[in-house]
Amino acid sequence: MGVRRLIAGMKISVDGKVEGPEGTADWVEAWSEDYGLMPQIDACVLGGGMYPGYERYWTSIRDEPDKPAWITGGAPTAAEIEWARFATQTPHFVLSRTLTSVQWPNTSIVQELEELAALKRRPGKDIYLVGGARTAASLMDAGLVDELRLLVYPLAAGSGKALFATTERRRGLELREVQRLPKGRVSLIYNVG
Ligand SMILES: NC(=O)c1ccc[n+]([C@@H]2O[C@H](COP(=O)([O-])OP(=O)(O)OC[C@H]3O[C@@H](n4cnc5c(N)ncnc54)[C@H](OP(=O)(O)O)[C@@H]3O)[C@@H](O)[C@H]2O)c1
């Protein structure tokens, strides 16, 4: 039986930042799952750093879809409401040694990378690595990430958190797909060797 693929999806600036100096990527208009992953995944992995913001953001969109969304300040988009619904039914795994409780449904805390390696060996669909930066870097270093999907936004963010700032190992990527998107964005899909 094959091992499930772990697919990281991140929205970055041209200079590789996942957020600006204020701690948010204010150039991202909506935090919907824009990588086309929903049909092929049945689990999500997140880092303990991003989890509290994720829980707050998606809880408010799920419970009050008519209110402006925290972070973007705009009305939740149809795709965000769809993700809130999908994510409510999809098991989430949060990598953390310090978090002790989580409110999002079907969510478990995992402390060791080996638990994620074991999750990949269980039968199922692919797994979406939602972020954040340090978690994506550490799972890449551990050889657990199989695919990287980047949405590149047309700006140089300057200071801020870089996606692979904490990566310890050089790793070659195989470009599989490039797509030009509206508003100057580019979608890049890489296989991770
Ligand atoms: N642009 C995007 O697409 C995007 C997507 C997602 C997130 N983000 C941004 O990313 C930011 C969060 O990123 P971040 O790098 O600060 O935090 P993070 O990657 O979400 O979480 C880091 C935490 O995860 C746990 N962790 C990571 N690797 C581990 C390992 N090998 N073993 C055990 N635990 C491990 C640790 O938690 P403990 O300290 O609790 O043990 C660590 O402090 C958010 O603010 C958000 O803005 C951006």
Side-chain angles (χ1 to χ4, degrees):
M1 192 165 44
V3 170
R4 301 154 82 182
R5 288 169 69 75
L6 182 64
I7 304 172
M10 305 292 292
K11 302 181 187 204
I12 62 167
S13 59
V14 166
D15 54 339
K17 300 295 180 346
V18 294
E19 61 182 40
E22 332 70 29
T24 57
D26 60 2
W27 55 88
V28 174
E29 289 158 2
W31 284 100
S32 32
E33 185 280 285
D34 297 326
Y35 314 98
L37 290 172
M38 261 184 268
Q40 74 189 70
I41 56 163
D42 64 3
C44 295
V45 169
L46 300 83
M50 73 166 285
Y51 177 77
Y54 178 95
E55 181 184 286
R56 181 178 163 196
Y57 189 74
W58 294 108
T59 300
S60 100
I61 292 180
R62 184 196 60 196
D63 295 349
E64 298 177 303
D66 300 328
K67 277 206 176 160
W70 172 63
I71 309 183
T72 62
T77 63
E80 284 185 311
I81 293 168
E82 187 187 3
W83 175 257
R85 202 175 298 131
F86 180 88
T88 302
Q89 293 154 6
T90 303
H92 281 48
F93 299 86
V94 181
L95 185 60
S96 173
R97 295 201 175 102
T98 60
L99 281 176
T100 51
S101 71
V102 286
Q103 302 301 318
W104 192 256
N106 300 316
T107 299
S108 331
I109 298 170
V110 298
Q111 296 201 345
E112 304 296 336
L113 293 188
E114 178 45 42
E115 295 175 70
L116 296 179
L119 175 68
K120 286 183 65 175
R121 290 193 296 268
R122 270 183 237 153
K125 296 167 100 176
D126 290 336
I127 304 163
Y128 171 27
L129 172 54
V130 187
R134 277 176 292 159
T135 300
S138 100
L139 297 190
M140 281 280 276
D141 281 340
L144 291 171
V145 180
D146 302 288
E147 186 176 318
L148 181 61
R149 298 195 179 197
L150 299 177
L151 286 177
V152 184
Y153 285 67
L155 84 155
S159 60
K161 193 171 281 178
L163 174 53
F164 291 124
T166 58
T167 303
E168 290 172 359
R169 267 184 230 164
R170 172 174 166 154
R171 193 173 285 277
L173 304 173
E174 180 198 6
L175 182 63
R176 211 175 75 209
E177 243 178 87
V178 182
Q179 199 187 346
R180 188 176 177 152
L181 300 175
K183 299 187 183 171
R185 292 170 304 147
V186 179
S187 158
L188 299 169
I189 302 182
Y190 293 96
N191 287 327
V192 181

